[in-house]
Amino acid sequence: MTIEDLTRLQFAVTTLYHYLFVPLSISLALFTALLQTAHLRRTRRGGDDTYGRLSLLVGKLLMTTFAVGVVTGLVQEFQFGLSWSSFARFYGDVFGPTLAVEGMLAFFLEATFLGLWWFGRDRLPALVHLATIWIVAVGTAISAFVILAANSFMQNPVAYTIDAQTGRARLGSFSELLFNEVNLAAFPHTYAGAVMAGGALVMAVGVWHLLRGDYAEDTREFAAFRTLSRFGAWALLAGGGLVALSGDVLGKVITQVQPMKMAAAEALYRTTTGAPFSIFSYAPLGSDKPTFSLEVPGFLSFLAKGSFSAQVLGLKDLQDAYAAQFGPGDYVPWIPVAFWSFRLMIGVGMFAVLVAAAHLWVTRKSRVLRPDRRLAQGLLWSVGLLPLLPLAANSFGWIFTETARQPWLVFGLFKTADGVSPGLTFAEVAASLAAFTVVYGALAVVWVKLAARLVRKGLPEMPAPAPAEPAADDEFVTTY
């Protein structure tokens, strides 16, 4: 393993670990705001505080997740100076503004208003308190959009010029950078994936409490957790639908700007009209023909260009074209990783959606889960795996996005091998990777223990409402 390989592994480990918490923070902020809005509407109509208690539970999970996500995000940014200083020098003028905006959103806007939401719940007026969590929800979405703009530059560089004296990329238009066509397609896809991750988590919490049998079916707590499980299932189902629609758009955009990536997703070596999509395929390493393949005719052409009879460029033709355009070199990514990460992203995500649909069917109308104790114990073990499905699908998606772009850091502009910090030694990268792994392992244990403790406690009690301010006359009488 070379220094470049180890540095890429380090970045992959820290980035994928960080991204376990990002989609949960985004979706849990949205869910907390929606549940609290429902609570306010319901209490004004004389209803109970079920939605308010659910919003507190989800909000506590949000605060725990947000804190860990901030810490892991700092490590990820630290890596640019540690292991990728050559890339940071080249890309810093473009990447810097996005990090600055995201930092202000994450550390100032989101953290500040999340603190106001938590500490002001029994002090702020109801509408003001609701506004604080909606600001957090909107802030996380804006933060994701800005960071994705930076990544979209790496997929499709726009809004830049190359300084003739320094050789560095300089930002031309921040708005053009934000509204990169790749970002406009990637943001809804990523946000929908986040909704799936959060939906699976809250669905698992609700199902876990229902299956434990601690609450009788006629209690408010049982009804509340049934509501939470179905809320999460609907979120997972809706997120899955949006992922499919936005993924179709994103695939066509990527085909235009990175045709090699779509060819790698199918291991399509030869340019083909009406290219099929393989559900499963096997080929010996080094072979450009599968020995067995289960295919959907024309479906890759549809994914790439919207027509079942469209022509899709193959890896060999693209390799020749890139060699003529960029100079000699190997421009084909690692095909097995691109091929299987693409399918695992789709397959695992679809399985999570099917689980959500099954739960909604089983609990339709007034029906509830009524397994016997043996089945319940078995299901309790499997419920813990449910939140991992969308998170795994998200991770496979990012693995495909980044590895199928290789050998480029910025497609067509800057190669990965040129971005590694000069003078970096193998021992330094290995030591930092080991340190990050230990720290991240400790953070994982902390997050799991805190989240499990919050879930086991059940629904928190609603705080007393903020006291009404005395009228001017009452204040005068009280004072004098």
Side-chain angles (χ1 to χ4, degrees), residues 5 78 145 160 167 172 183-184 223 280 297 301 306 343 402 442 472:
D5 295 331
F78 171 70
F145 183 79
Y160 75 96
N183 193 30
L184 294 179
F280 179 85
S301 292
R343 278 149 186 78
E402 300 305 307

Side-chain angles (χ1 to χ4, degrees), residues 129-383:
H129 186 240
L130 177 62
T132 60
I133 193 61
W134 272 112
I135 291 174
V136 174
V138 173
T140 57
I142 297 175
S143 179
F145 183 79
V146 172
I147 284 297
L148 282 172
N151 182 267
S152 296
F153 178 87
M154 299 167 71
Q155 314 295 335
N156 179 40
V158 298
Y160 75 96
T161 57
I162 300 296
D163 191 300
Q165 295 182 344
T166 63
R168 296 172 56 173
R170 300 187 63 179
L171 181 63
S173 170
F174 187 61
S175 61
E176 188 178 347
L177 176 70
L178 289 179
F179 295 104
N180 186 339
E181 62 176 330
V182 173
N183 193 30
L184 294 179
F187 172 71
H189 190 64
T190 304
Y191 195 89
V195 171
M196 289 182 66
L201 177 61
V202 298
M203 175 184 164
V205 172
V207 171
W208 186 78
H209 276 282
L210 294 177
L211 291 178
R212 287 189 68 192
D214 291 343
Y215 306 107
E217 293 181 12
D218 57 350
T219 61
R220 289 174 54 193
E221 284 76 11
F222 186 92
F225 284 118
R226 178 180 182 275
T227 298
L228 184 65
S229 70
R230 289 180 59 83
F231 174 85
W234 277 116
L236 179 50
L237 198 63
L242 183 56
V243 161
L245 293 174
S246 58
D248 179 64
V249 175
L250 180 59
K252 292 171 174 57
V253 172
I254 289 298
T255 301
Q256 294 176 4
V257 300
Q258 287 186 53
M260 180 70 82
K261 182 177 288 187
M262 187 55 74
E266 179 53 32
L268 185 72
Y269 282 86
R270 295 173 177 80
T271 299
T272 304
T273 299
F277 179 82
S278 302
I279 298 175
F280 179 85
S281 182
Y282 171 76
L285 289 177
S287 173
D288 61 355
K289 292 182 178 179
T291 57
F292 173 79
S293 183
L294 180 62
E295 299 177 340
V296 179
F299 195 60
L300 180 67
S301 292
F302 178 79
L303 292 176
K305 296 186 176 180
S307 171
F308 287 96
S309 59
Q311 184 184 77
V312 180
L313 295 175
L315 294 166
K316 291 185 175 180
D317 289 337
L318 289 169
Q319 165 63 26
D320 294 340
Y322 287 173
Q325 181 179 359
F326 303 116
D330 185 4
Y331 298 94
V332 178
W334 193 7
I335 299 303
V337 174
F339 183 90
W340 286 112
S341 61
F342 190 74
R343 278 149 186 78
L344 288 170
M345 171 189 69
I346 297 173
V348 174
M350 289 180 62
F351 181 69
V353 169
L354 289 176
V355 172
H359 178 69
L360 289 172
W361 173 257
V362 170
T363 60
R364 66 192 184 278
K365 297 181 180 179
S366 59
R367 300 182 184 183
V368 295
L369 295 173
R370 291 192 180 93
D372 58 36
R373 293 303 297 176
R374 292 181 181 177
L375 179 58
Q377 293 302 318
L379 289 174
L380 279 173
W381 284 100
S382 63
V383 162

Side-chain angles (χ1 to χ4, degrees), residues 7 23 48 69 74 80 84 100 117 157 163 178 196 215 224 289 309 324 346 355 358 408 414 417-418 420 460 463 474:
T7 306
D48 59 31
L74 288 174
F80 285 107
W84 302 95
W117 176 79
D163 191 300
L178 289 179
M196 289 182 66
Y215 306 107
K289 292 182 178 179
S309 59
I346 297 173
V355 172
W408 301 104
F414 195 86
D418 299 328
V420 180
D474 295 339

